[in-house]
Amino acid sequence: MPPRRRSILITGATSGIGRALARIYAAPGFHLALTGRNQERLDAIRTECRESGADVTSASVDVRDRDKMAAWIRSVDDIRPIDLAIASAGITSGLGLGRSREDPEAVRAVFAINLIGVLNSIEPLIERMCARGSGQIAIVGSIAALRGLPYAPAYCAAKAAVHAYAESLRGTLVPQGVTVSLIVPGFVATALNKDMLTPKPLQMSDWRAARIIRRGLDRGASVIPFPRTLYYGAQLLRFLPIRWVDFMLGLAHVDIPETRERAVE
Ligand SMILES: NC(=O)c1ccc[n+]([C@@H]2O[C@H](COP(=O)([O-])OP(=O)(O)OC[C@H]3O[C@@H](n4cnc5c(N)ncnc54)[C@H](OP(=O)(O)O)[C@@H]3O)[C@@H](O)[C@H]2O)c1
């Protein structure tokens, strides 16, 4: 039987989880709309996905550019109505040796990419999917959203906002036929966390993460957490006395490089 034709938008497709998802969906019968900023890596993944038999549209766009994102996403949707949008683009930033305060410009960059960038990636599709009475929106959050960590205030806060947003959106959109899936990864070996000095319990490859995500998306899961042990462990922290948890988290030797991204007007 021929595969069901699907049109899939993936942000952050030039690296890590987004790129692994592009690879996993690249097959005949699929149309992939891929975006990221690095043109060379975008061209490379586009070629690779085409060689695997997918139709591919790509554009180098900064997720912070609301107008450009909306124009590109709508132009793709006009021709190949998108039935799955995955907002994966994101950065990390944090504290560590000799750095006990986040640079306000870095903080704003984290929020602009990890929160506003997600809105810019999915807002252009919400009304259209609702009008069609079908579609799926997937947002990449993080286990770091479940409990504020002393070494990554902006990252944890932006991801927590995205979690609450996805949860709220689900309540509104599901009755209109649109599925909302929140993806909650633990440690995945990608460029994002390669320079972080921290224990990375149960870290997995981007390929394995993409397989888990696809399985979850295929069954329309509301939340796709992995690895589950780490996810439930992090949930448990909420039930322990705050001072204990703060103390325990403070014992870990963690150094998360500060992002080089800065706020843009
Ligand atoms: N890796 C982990 O351990 C982990 C754990 C939990 C959650 N996550 C989340 O998973 C998502 C993907 O991260 P990853 O690990 O795959 O990281 P990654 O390998 O560094 O990939 C990040 C992607 O986001 C894109 N991106 C960053 N800033 C952008 C911007 N301003 N405009 C457009 N695209 C932008 C990058 O594209 P360009 O480089 O081309 O700009 C790249 O394709 C992120 O939301 C991250 O927070 C990751």
Side-chain angles (χ1 to χ4, degrees), residues 12-18 36-38 41 61-64 88-91 113-114 140-143 155 159 185-193 261:
T14 49
S15 179
I17 296 173
R37 286 173 303 180
N38 184 295
R41 283 190 271 118
V61 190
D62 190 317
V63 288
R64 289 172 285 193
S88 183
I91 59 167
I113 295 172
N114 291 8
V140 181
S142 171
I143 285 183
Y155 183 80
K159 288 293 180 186
F187 293 102
V188 182
T190 68
L192 178 131
N193 76 8
E261 302 277 353

PDB file of all heavy atoms in Angstrom, residues 12-18 36-38 41 61-64 88-91 113-114 140-143 155 159 185-193 261, ligand 1:
ATOM      1  N   GLY A  12      14.521  24.135  12.866  1.00  0.00           N
ATOM      2  CA  GLY A  12      15.734  23.573  13.483  1.00  0.00           C
ATOM      3  C   GLY A  12      16.194  22.335  12.740  1.00  0.00           C
ATOM      4  O   GLY A  12      16.811  21.434  13.328  1.00  0.00           O
ATOM      5  N   ALA A  13      15.929  22.292  11.429  1.00  0.00           N
ATOM      6  CA  ALA A  13      16.222  21.084  10.645  1.00  0.00           C
ATOM      7  C   ALA A  13      17.684  20.997  10.221  1.00  0.00           C
ATOM      8  O   ALA A  13      18.072  20.026   9.576  1.00  0.00           O
ATOM      9  CB  ALA A  13      15.315  21.038   9.413  1.00  0.00           C
ATOM     10  N   THR A  14      18.496  21.997  10.586  1.00  0.00           N
ATOM     11  CA  THR A  14      19.896  21.979  10.163  1.00  0.00           C
ATOM     12  C   THR A  14      20.807  21.267  11.159  1.00  0.00           C
ATOM     13  O   THR A  14      22.008  21.161  10.921  1.00  0.00           O
ATOM     14  CB  THR A  14      20.415  23.420   9.965  1.00  0.00           C
ATOM     15  OG1 THR A  14      20.067  24.173  11.133  1.00  0.00           O
ATOM     16  CG2 THR A  14      19.812  24.078   8.743  1.00  0.00           C
ATOM     17  N   SER A  15      20.243  20.795  12.263  1.00  0.00           N
ATOM     18  CA  SER A  15      21.106  20.169  13.272  1.00  0.00           C
ATOM     19  C   SER A  15      20.276  19.327  14.249  1.00  0.00           C
ATOM     20  O   SER A  15      19.062  19.495  14.355  1.00  0.00           O
ATOM     21  CB  SER A  15      21.856  21.276  14.035  1.00  0.00           C
ATOM     22  OG  SER A  15      22.678  20.735  15.042  1.00  0.00           O
ATOM     23  N   GLY A  16      20.953  18.432  14.936  1.00  0.00           N
ATOM     24  CA  GLY A  16      20.398  17.720  16.080  1.00  0.00           C
ATOM     25  C   GLY A  16      19.057  17.041  15.869  1.00  0.00           C
ATOM     26  O   GLY A  16      18.849  16.305  14.891  1.00  0.00           O
ATOM     27  N   ILE A  17      18.139  17.295  16.781  1.00  0.00           N
ATOM     28  CA  ILE A  17      16.845  16.597  16.796  1.00  0.00           C
ATOM     29  C   ILE A  17      16.042  16.905  15.536  1.00  0.00           C
ATOM     30  O   ILE A  17      15.456  16.008  14.913  1.00  0.00           O
ATOM     31  CB  ILE A  17      16.056  16.986  18.078  1.00  0.00           C
ATOM     32  CG1 ILE A  17      16.813  16.509  19.327  1.00  0.00           C
ATOM     33  CG2 ILE A  17      14.641  16.407  18.041  1.00  0.00           C
ATOM     34  CD1 ILE A  17      16.227  16.984  20.655  1.00  0.00           C
ATOM     35  N   GLY A  18      16.005  18.178  15.127  1.00  0.00           N
ATOM     36  CA  GLY A  18      15.241  18.560  13.937  1.00  0.00           C
ATOM     37  C   GLY A  18      15.774  17.867  12.695  1.00  0.00           C
ATOM     38  O   GLY A  18      15.008  17.377  11.869  1.00  0.00           O
ATOM     39  N   GLY A  36      16.071  26.430   9.006  1.00  0.00           N
ATOM     40  CA  GLY A  36      17.172  26.620   9.941  1.00  0.00           C
ATOM     41  C   GLY A  36      17.867  27.844   9.382  1.00  0.00           C
ATOM     42  O   GLY A  36      17.388  28.404   8.399  1.00  0.00           O
ATOM     43  N   ARG A  37      18.964  28.265   9.963  1.00  0.00           N
ATOM     44  CA  ARG A  37      19.601  29.458   9.389  1.00  0.00           C
ATOM     45  C   ARG A  37      20.827  29.127   8.546  1.00  0.00           C
ATOM     46  O   ARG A  37      21.102  29.785   7.559  1.00  0.00           O
ATOM     47  CB  ARG A  37      20.020  30.421  10.510  1.00  0.00           C
ATOM     48  CG  ARG A  37      18.876  31.150  11.128  1.00  0.00           C
ATOM     49  CD  ARG A  37      19.332  31.933  12.324  1.00  0.00           C
ATOM     50  NE  ARG A  37      19.989  31.062  13.322  1.00  0.00           N
ATOM     51  CZ  ARG A  37      20.485  31.482  14.464  1.00  0.00           C
ATOM     52  NH1 ARG A  37      20.433  32.754  14.772  1.00  0.00           N
ATOM     53  NH2 ARG A  37      21.035  30.639  15.310  1.00  0.00           N
ATOM     54  N   ASN A  38      21.565  28.101   8.930  1.00  0.00           N
ATOM     55  CA  ASN A  38      22.826  27.804   8.258  1.00  0.00           C
ATOM     56  C   ASN A  38      22.558  27.217   6.863  1.00  0.00           C
ATOM     57  O   ASN A  38      22.077  26.093   6.732  1.00  0.00           O
ATOM     58  CB  ASN A  38      23.628  26.821   9.119  1.00  0.00           C
ATOM     59  CG  ASN A  38      24.986  26.543   8.537  1.00  0.00           C
ATOM     60  OD1 ASN A  38      25.108  25.973   7.463  1.00  0.00           O
ATOM     61  ND2 ASN A  38      26.007  26.968   9.249  1.00  0.00           N
ATOM     62  N   ARG A  41      24.277  23.785   5.811  1.00  0.00           N
ATOM     63  CA  ARG A  41      23.700  22.579   6.431  1.00  0.00           C
ATOM     64  C   ARG A  41      22.267  22.354   5.957  1.00  0.00           C
ATOM     65  O   ARG A  41      21.800  21.229   5.856  1.00  0.00           O
ATOM     66  CB  ARG A  41      23.779  22.687   7.960  1.00  0.00           C
ATOM     67  CG  ARG A  41      25.195  22.416   8.465  1.00  0.00           C
ATOM     68  CD  ARG A  41      25.269  22.282   9.971  1.00  0.00           C
ATOM     69  NE  ARG A  41      25.481  23.569  10.606  1.00  0.00           N
ATOM     70  CZ  ARG A  41      24.643  24.146  11.453  1.00  0.00           C
ATOM     71  NH1 ARG A  41      23.537  23.535  11.795  1.00  0.00           N
ATOM     72  NH2 ARG A  41      24.913  25.322  11.975  1.00  0.00           N
ATOM     73  N   VAL A  61      15.570  30.838   7.458  1.00  0.00           N
ATOM     74  CA  VAL A  61      14.834  31.920   8.133  1.00  0.00           C
ATOM     75  C   VAL A  61      15.172  31.884   9.625  1.00  0.00           C
ATOM     76  O   VAL A  61      15.260  30.806  10.214  1.00  0.00           O
ATOM     77  CB  VAL A  61      13.290  31.750   7.981  1.00  0.00           C
ATOM     78  CG1 VAL A  61      12.568  32.994   8.473  1.00  0.00           C
ATOM     79  CG2 VAL A  61      12.883  31.420   6.564  1.00  0.00           C
ATOM     80  N   ASP A  62      15.330  33.050  10.219  1.00  0.00           N
ATOM     81  CA  ASP A  62      15.523  33.140  11.661  1.00  0.00           C
ATOM     82  C   ASP A  62      14.134  33.059  12.304  1.00  0.00           C
ATOM     83  O   ASP A  62      13.237  33.847  11.929  1.00  0.00           O
ATOM     84  CB  ASP A  62      16.205  34.485  11.996  1.00  0.00           C
ATOM     85  CG  ASP A  62      16.660  34.550  13.454  1.00  0.00           C
ATOM     86  OD1 ASP A  62      15.887  34.129  14.342  1.00  0.00           O
ATOM     87  OD2 ASP A  62      17.777  35.022  13.695  1.00  0.00           O
ATOM     88  N   VAL A  63      13.950  32.140  13.240  1.00  0.00           N
ATOM     89  CA  VAL A  63      12.608  31.986  13.832  1.00  0.00           C
ATOM     90  C   VAL A  63      12.138  33.255  14.549  1.00  0.00           C
ATOM     91  O   VAL A  63      10.957  33.405  14.839  1.00  0.00           O
ATOM     92  CB  VAL A  63      12.500  30.777  14.810  1.00  0.00           C
ATOM     93  CG1 VAL A  63      12.530  29.459  14.085  1.00  0.00           C
ATOM     94  CG2 VAL A  63      13.540  30.851  15.915  1.00  0.00           C
ATOM     95  N   ARG A  64      13.078  34.162  14.833  1.00  0.00           N
ATOM     96  CA  ARG A  64      12.681  35.414  15.482  1.00  0.00           C
ATOM     97  C   ARG A  64      12.016  36.382  14.517  1.00  0.00           C
ATOM     98  O   ARG A  64      11.391  37.343  14.946  1.00  0.00           O
ATOM     99  CB  ARG A  64      13.920  36.094  16.102  1.00  0.00           C
ATOM    100  CG  ARG A  64      14.433  35.350  17.313  1.00  0.00           C
ATOM    101  CD  ARG A  64      15.747  35.911  17.782  1.00  0.00           C
ATOM    102  NE  ARG A  64      16.841  35.517  16.920  1.00  0.00           N
ATOM    103  CZ  ARG A  64      18.126  35.653  17.221  1.00  0.00           C
ATOM    104  NH1 ARG A  64      18.466  36.170  18.389  1.00  0.00           N
ATOM    105  NH2 ARG A  64      19.070  35.256  16.404  1.00  0.00           N
ATOM    106  N   SER A  88      11.211  22.765  16.505  1.00  0.00           N
ATOM    107  CA  SER A  88      12.357  22.203  17.227  1.00  0.00           C
ATOM    108  C   SER A  88      13.480  23.218  17.437  1.00  0.00           C
ATOM    109  O   SER A  88      14.304  23.042  18.335  1.00  0.00           O
ATOM    110  CB  SER A  88      12.907  20.987  16.460  1.00  0.00           C
ATOM    111  OG  SER A  88      13.967  20.387  17.161  1.00  0.00           O
ATOM    112  N   ALA A  89      13.521  24.287  16.640  1.00  0.00           N
ATOM    113  CA  ALA A  89      14.639  25.237  16.744  1.00  0.00           C
ATOM    114  C   ALA A  89      14.782  25.745  18.173  1.00  0.00           C
ATOM    115  O   ALA A  89      13.791  26.081  18.826  1.00  0.00           O
ATOM    116  CB  ALA A  89      14.417  26.413  15.798  1.00  0.00           C
ATOM    117  N   GLY A  90      16.002  25.790  18.649  1.00  0.00           N
ATOM    118  CA  GLY A  90      16.222  26.287  20.004  1.00  0.00           C
ATOM    119  C   GLY A  90      17.696  26.417  20.301  1.00  0.00           C
ATOM    120  O   GLY A  90      18.542  25.886  19.578  1.00  0.00           O
ATOM    121  N   ILE A  91      17.990  27.157  21.350  1.00  0.00           N
ATOM    122  CA  ILE A  91      19.380  27.324  21.798  1.00  0.00           C
ATOM    123  C   ILE A  91      19.430  27.064  23.295  1.00  0.00           C
ATOM    124  O   ILE A  91      18.380  26.958  23.948  1.00  0.00           O
ATOM    125  CB  ILE A  91      19.912  28.752  21.515  1.00  0.00           C
ATOM    126  CG1 ILE A  91      19.030  29.809  22.237  1.00  0.00           C
ATOM    127  CG2 ILE A  91      19.968  29.038  20.026  1.00  0.00           C
ATOM    128  CD1 ILE A  91      19.664  31.196  22.276  1.00  0.00           C
ATOM    129  N   ILE A 113      14.215  33.146  20.926  1.00  0.00           N
ATOM    130  CA  ILE A 113      14.298  31.962  20.054  1.00  0.00           C
ATOM    131  C   ILE A 113      13.437  30.822  20.596  1.00  0.00           C
ATOM    132  O   ILE A 113      12.631  30.242  19.874  1.00  0.00           O
ATOM    133  CB  ILE A 113      15.780  31.524  19.889  1.00  0.00           C
ATOM    134  CG1 ILE A 113      16.554  32.626  19.146  1.00  0.00           C
ATOM    135  CG2 ILE A 113      15.879  30.187  19.155  1.00  0.00           C
ATOM    136  CD1 ILE A 113      18.056  32.412  19.072  1.00  0.00           C
ATOM    137  N   ASN A 114      13.613  30.515  21.887  1.00  0.00           N
ATOM    138  CA  ASN A 114      12.959  29.320  22.436  1.00  0.00           C
ATOM    139  C   ASN A 114      11.475  29.509  22.737  1.00  0.00           C
ATOM    140  O   ASN A 114      10.733  28.531  22.830  1.00  0.00           O
ATOM    141  CB  ASN A 114      13.676  28.884  23.717  1.00  0.00           C
ATOM    142  CG  ASN A 114      15.079  28.345  23.439  1.00  0.00           C
ATOM    143  OD1 ASN A 114      15.572  28.435  22.318  1.00  0.00           O
ATOM    144  ND2 ASN A 114      15.719  27.797  24.446  1.00  0.00           N
ATOM    145  N   VAL A 140       8.825  21.270  20.789  1.00  0.00           N
ATOM    146  CA  VAL A 140       9.895  20.636  21.569  1.00  0.00           C
ATOM    147  C   VAL A 140      10.159  21.446  22.845  1.00  0.00           C
ATOM    148  O   VAL A 140      10.590  22.601  22.781  1.00  0.00           O
ATOM    149  CB  VAL A 140      11.193  20.497  20.742  1.00  0.00           C
ATOM    150  CG1 VAL A 140      12.282  19.822  21.578  1.00  0.00           C
ATOM    151  CG2 VAL A 140      10.949  19.691  19.463  1.00  0.00           C
ATOM    152  N   GLY A 141       9.849  20.841  23.968  1.00  0.00           N
ATOM    153  CA  GLY A 141      10.124  21.449  25.266  1.00  0.00           C
ATOM    154  C   GLY A 141      11.391  20.845  25.834  1.00  0.00           C
ATOM    155  O   GLY A 141      12.353  20.605  25.095  1.00  0.00           O
ATOM    156  N   SER A 142      11.387  20.533  27.119  1.00  0.00           N
ATOM    157  CA  SER A 142      12.580  19.934  27.736  1.00  0.00           C
ATOM    158  C   SER A 142      12.238  19.467  29.148  1.00  0.00           C
ATOM    159  O   SER A 142      11.388  20.067  29.827  1.00  0.00           O
ATOM    160  CB  SER A 142      13.679  20.989  27.842  1.00  0.00           C
ATOM    161  OG  SER A 142      14.759  20.496  28.613  1.00  0.00           O
ATOM    162  N   ILE A 143      12.939  18.435  29.589  1.00  0.00           N
ATOM    163  CA  ILE A 143      12.784  18.011  30.992  1.00  0.00           C
ATOM    164  C   ILE A 143      13.231  19.157  31.914  1.00  0.00           C
ATOM    165  O   ILE A 143      12.741  19.301  33.032  1.00  0.00           O
ATOM    166  CB  ILE A 143      13.565  16.695  31.240  1.00  0.00           C
ATOM    167  CG1 ILE A 143      12.786  15.523  30.607  1.00  0.00           C
ATOM    168  CG2 ILE A 143      13.765  16.448  32.740  1.00  0.00           C
ATOM    169  CD1 ILE A 143      13.381  14.144  30.814  1.00  0.00           C
ATOM    170  N   TYR A 155      16.808  29.443  30.235  1.00  0.00           N
ATOM    171  CA  TYR A 155      16.432  28.261  29.445  1.00  0.00           C
ATOM    172  C   TYR A 155      15.251  27.538  30.101  1.00  0.00           C
ATOM    173  O   TYR A 155      14.265  27.213  29.435  1.00  0.00           O
ATOM    174  CB  TYR A 155      17.646  27.323  29.314  1.00  0.00           C
ATOM    175  CG  TYR A 155      17.369  26.113  28.446  1.00  0.00           C
ATOM    176  CD1 TYR A 155      17.396  26.210  27.059  1.00  0.00           C
ATOM    177  CD2 TYR A 155      17.067  24.867  29.004  1.00  0.00           C
ATOM    178  CE1 TYR A 155      17.147  25.107  26.249  1.00  0.00           C
ATOM    179  CE2 TYR A 155      16.818  23.765  28.210  1.00  0.00           C
ATOM    180  CZ  TYR A 155      16.858  23.883  26.835  1.00  0.00           C
ATOM    181  OH  TYR A 155      16.592  22.787  26.039  1.00  0.00           O
ATOM    182  N   LYS A 159      11.446  27.301  28.477  1.00  0.00           N
ATOM    183  CA  LYS A 159      10.864  25.974  28.190  1.00  0.00           C
ATOM    184  C   LYS A 159       9.591  25.752  29.016  1.00  0.00           C
ATOM    185  O   LYS A 159       8.631  25.166  28.532  1.00  0.00           O
ATOM    186  CB  LYS A 159      11.893  24.872  28.472  1.00  0.00           C
ATOM    187  CG  LYS A 159      13.009  24.811  27.446  1.00  0.00           C
ATOM    188  CD  LYS A 159      12.490  24.374  26.076  1.00  0.00           C
ATOM    189  CE  LYS A 159      13.572  24.308  25.038  1.00  0.00           C
ATOM    190  NZ  LYS A 159      13.076  24.032  23.682  1.00  0.00           N
ATOM    191  N   PRO A 185      12.237  16.144  25.808  1.00  0.00           N
ATOM    192  CA  PRO A 185      13.469  15.345  25.829  1.00  0.00           C
ATOM    193  C   PRO A 185      14.293  15.553  27.096  1.00  0.00           C
ATOM    194  O   PRO A 185      14.269  16.627  27.695  1.00  0.00           O
ATOM    195  CB  PRO A 185      14.270  15.879  24.618  1.00  0.00           C
ATOM    196  CG  PRO A 185      13.375  16.839  23.906  1.00  0.00           C
ATOM    197  CD  PRO A 185      12.342  17.285  24.888  1.00  0.00           C
ATOM    198  N   GLY A 186      15.041  14.500  27.429  1.00  0.00           N
ATOM    199  CA  GLY A 186      16.110  14.619  28.425  1.00  0.00           C
ATOM    200  C   GLY A 186      17.366  14.986  27.648  1.00  0.00           C
ATOM    201  O   GLY A 186      17.313  15.804  26.732  1.00  0.00           O
ATOM    202  N   PHE A 187      18.489  14.343  27.959  1.00  0.00           N
ATOM    203  CA  PHE A 187      19.739  14.681  27.257  1.00  0.00           C
ATOM    204  C   PHE A 187      19.833  13.947  25.926  1.00  0.00           C
ATOM    205  O   PHE A 187      19.696  12.731  25.866  1.00  0.00           O
ATOM    206  CB  PHE A 187      20.947  14.321  28.127  1.00  0.00           C
ATOM    207  CG  PHE A 187      21.049  15.184  29.360  1.00  0.00           C
ATOM    208  CD1 PHE A 187      20.648  14.700  30.602  1.00  0.00           C
ATOM    209  CD2 PHE A 187      21.528  16.483  29.266  1.00  0.00           C
ATOM    210  CE1 PHE A 187      20.734  15.498  31.738  1.00  0.00           C
ATOM    211  CE2 PHE A 187      21.617  17.291  30.400  1.00  0.00           C
ATOM    212  CZ  PHE A 187      21.214  16.797  31.625  1.00  0.00           C
ATOM    213  N   VAL A 188      20.058  14.730  24.879  1.00  0.00           N
ATOM    214  CA  VAL A 188      20.235  14.172  23.544  1.00  0.00           C
ATOM    215  C   VAL A 188      21.584  14.694  23.046  1.00  0.00           C
ATOM    216  O   VAL A 188      21.865  15.898  23.162  1.00  0.00           O
ATOM    217  CB  VAL A 188      19.092  14.615  22.594  1.00  0.00           C
ATOM    218  CG1 VAL A 188      19.271  13.984  21.219  1.00  0.00           C
ATOM    219  CG2 VAL A 188      17.726  14.243  23.187  1.00  0.00           C
ATOM    220  N   ALA A 189      22.405  13.783  22.516  1.00  0.00           N
ATOM    221  CA  ALA A 189      23.757  14.191  22.083  1.00  0.00           C
ATOM    222  C   ALA A 189      23.673  15.010  20.794  1.00  0.00           C
ATOM    223  O   ALA A 189      23.530  14.454  19.710  1.00  0.00           O
ATOM    224  CB  ALA A 189      24.627  12.955  21.881  1.00  0.00           C
ATOM    225  N   THR A 190      23.708  16.321  20.926  1.00  0.00           N
ATOM    226  CA  THR A 190      23.634  17.228  19.773  1.00  0.00           C
ATOM    227  C   THR A 190      24.610  18.380  20.003  1.00  0.00           C
ATOM    228  O   THR A 190      25.192  18.500  21.085  1.00  0.00           O
ATOM    229  CB  THR A 190      22.218  17.831  19.616  1.00  0.00           C
ATOM    230  OG1 THR A 190      21.997  18.707  20.723  1.00  0.00           O
ATOM    231  CG2 THR A 190      21.129  16.780  19.551  1.00  0.00           C
ATOM    232  N   ALA A 191      24.685  19.260  19.014  1.00  0.00           N
ATOM    233  CA  ALA A 191      25.560  20.427  19.157  1.00  0.00           C
ATOM    234  C   ALA A 191      25.149  21.266  20.363  1.00  0.00           C
ATOM    235  O   ALA A 191      25.986  21.906  21.007  1.00  0.00           O
ATOM    236  CB  ALA A 191      25.493  21.266  17.885  1.00  0.00           C
ATOM    237  N   LEU A 192      23.858  21.261  20.663  1.00  0.00           N
ATOM    238  CA  LEU A 192      23.336  22.111  21.741  1.00  0.00           C
ATOM    239  C   LEU A 192      23.967  21.800  23.096  1.00  0.00           C
ATOM    240  O   LEU A 192      24.231  22.708  23.886  1.00  0.00           O
ATOM    241  CB  LEU A 192      21.808  21.953  21.808  1.00  0.00           C
ATOM    242  CG  LEU A 192      21.056  22.714  22.883  1.00  0.00           C
ATOM    243  CD1 LEU A 192      19.874  23.461  22.285  1.00  0.00           C
ATOM    244  CD2 LEU A 192      20.562  21.784  23.980  1.00  0.00           C
ATOM    245  N   ASN A 193      24.185  20.527  23.377  1.00  0.00           N
ATOM    246  CA  ASN A 193      24.682  20.233  24.722  1.00  0.00           C
ATOM    247  C   ASN A 193      26.112  19.690  24.735  1.00  0.00           C
ATOM    248  O   ASN A 193      26.606  19.300  25.777  1.00  0.00           O
ATOM    249  CB  ASN A 193      23.710  19.309  25.467  1.00  0.00           C
ATOM    250  CG  ASN A 193      23.786  17.882  25.022  1.00  0.00           C
ATOM    251  OD1 ASN A 193      24.666  17.515  24.262  1.00  0.00           O
ATOM    252  ND2 ASN A 193      22.872  17.056  25.486  1.00  0.00           N
ATOM    253  N   GLU A 261      24.352  34.087  21.040  1.00  0.00           N
ATOM    254  CA  GLU A 261      23.211  34.812  20.463  1.00  0.00           C
ATOM    255  C   GLU A 261      22.925  36.027  21.336  1.00  0.00           C
ATOM    256  O   GLU A 261      23.028  35.957  22.548  1.00  0.00           O
ATOM    257  CB  GLU A 261      21.950  33.949  20.457  1.00  0.00           C
ATOM    258  CG  GLU A 261      22.068  32.652  19.698  1.00  0.00           C
ATOM    259  CD  GLU A 261      21.839  32.817  18.209  1.00  0.00           C
ATOM    260  OE1 GLU A 261      21.464  33.924  17.772  1.00  0.00           O
ATOM    261  OE2 GLU A 261      22.048  31.834  17.486  1.00  0.00           O
TER     262      GLU A 261
HETATM  263  N1  LIG B   1      19.975  18.269  23.022  1.00  0.00           N
HETATM  264  C1  LIG B   1      19.367  18.179  24.181  1.00  0.00           C
HETATM  265  O1  LIG B   1      19.910  17.586  25.138  1.00  0.00           O
HETATM  266  C2  LIG B   1      17.985  18.757  24.361  1.00  0.00           C
HETATM  267  C3  LIG B   1      17.292  18.423  25.539  1.00  0.00           C
HETATM  268  C4  LIG B   1      16.019  18.947  25.727  1.00  0.00           C
HETATM  269  C5  LIG B   1      15.460  19.772  24.771  1.00  0.00           C
HETATM  270  N2  LIG B   1      16.172  20.078  23.648  1.00  0.00           N
HETATM  271  C6  LIG B   1      15.529  20.978  22.685  1.00  0.00           C
HETATM  272  O2  LIG B   1      15.512  20.362  21.417  1.00  0.00           O
HETATM  273  C7  LIG B   1      15.480  21.364  20.412  1.00  0.00           C
HETATM  274  C8  LIG B   1      16.526  21.055  19.360  1.00  0.00           C
HETATM  275  O3  LIG B   1      17.794  21.138  19.971  1.00  0.00           O
HETATM  276  P1  LIG B   1      19.032  20.278  19.463  1.00  0.00           P
HETATM  277  O4  LIG B   1      19.582  19.557  20.627  1.00  0.00           O
HETATM  278  O5  LIG B   1      18.650  19.561  18.244  1.00  0.00           O
HETATM  279  O6  LIG B   1      20.045  21.494  19.157  1.00  0.00           O
HETATM  280  P2  LIG B   1      20.991  21.808  17.926  1.00  0.00           P
HETATM  281  O7  LIG B   1      21.622  20.569  17.398  1.00  0.00           O
HETATM  282  O8  LIG B   1      21.864  22.904  18.376  1.00  0.00           O
HETATM  283  O9  LIG B   1      19.942  22.358  16.829  1.00  0.00           O
HETATM  284  C9  LIG B   1      19.296  23.558  17.037  1.00  0.00           C
HETATM  285  C10 LIG B   1      18.564  23.941  15.778  1.00  0.00           C
HETATM  286  O10 LIG B   1      17.844  25.157  16.017  1.00  0.00           O
HETATM  287  C11 LIG B   1      18.135  26.068  14.979  1.00  0.00           C
HETATM  288  N3  LIG B   1      18.104  27.450  15.448  1.00  0.00           N
HETATM  289  C12 LIG B   1      18.705  27.977  16.537  1.00  0.00           C
HETATM  290  N4  LIG B   1      18.450  29.284  16.605  1.00  0.00           N
HETATM  291  C13 LIG B   1      17.689  29.586  15.530  1.00  0.00           C
HETATM  292  C14 LIG B   1      17.111  30.787  15.053  1.00  0.00           C
HETATM  293  N5  LIG B   1      17.261  31.962  15.686  1.00  0.00           N
HETATM  294  N6  LIG B   1      16.377  30.728  13.915  1.00  0.00           N
HETATM  295  C15 LIG B   1      16.209  29.562  13.255  1.00  0.00           C
HETATM  296  N7  LIG B   1      16.727  28.398  13.667  1.00  0.00           N
HETATM  297  C16 LIG B   1      17.466  28.421  14.785  1.00  0.00           C
HETATM  298  C17 LIG B   1      19.538  25.698  14.508  1.00  0.00           C
HETATM  299  O11 LIG B   1      19.687  26.162  13.187  1.00  0.00           O
HETATM  300  P3  LIG B   1      20.939  27.033  12.679  1.00  0.00           P
HETATM  301  O12 LIG B   1      22.138  26.527  13.428  1.00  0.00           O
HETATM  302  O13 LIG B   1      20.969  26.723  11.216  1.00  0.00           O
HETATM  303  O14 LIG B   1      20.580  28.429  12.991  1.00  0.00           O
HETATM  304  C18 LIG B   1      19.485  24.183  14.591  1.00  0.00           C
HETATM  305  O15 LIG B   1      18.927  23.659  13.434  1.00  0.00           O
HETATM  306  C19 LIG B   1      15.707  22.705  21.114  1.00  0.00           C
HETATM  307  O16 LIG B   1      14.463  23.348  21.263  1.00  0.00           O
HETATM  308  C20 LIG B   1      16.271  22.285  22.462  1.00  0.00           C
HETATM  309  O17 LIG B   1      16.007  23.229  23.465  1.00  0.00           O
HETATM  310  C21 LIG B   1      17.408  19.596  23.413  1.00  0.00           C
END
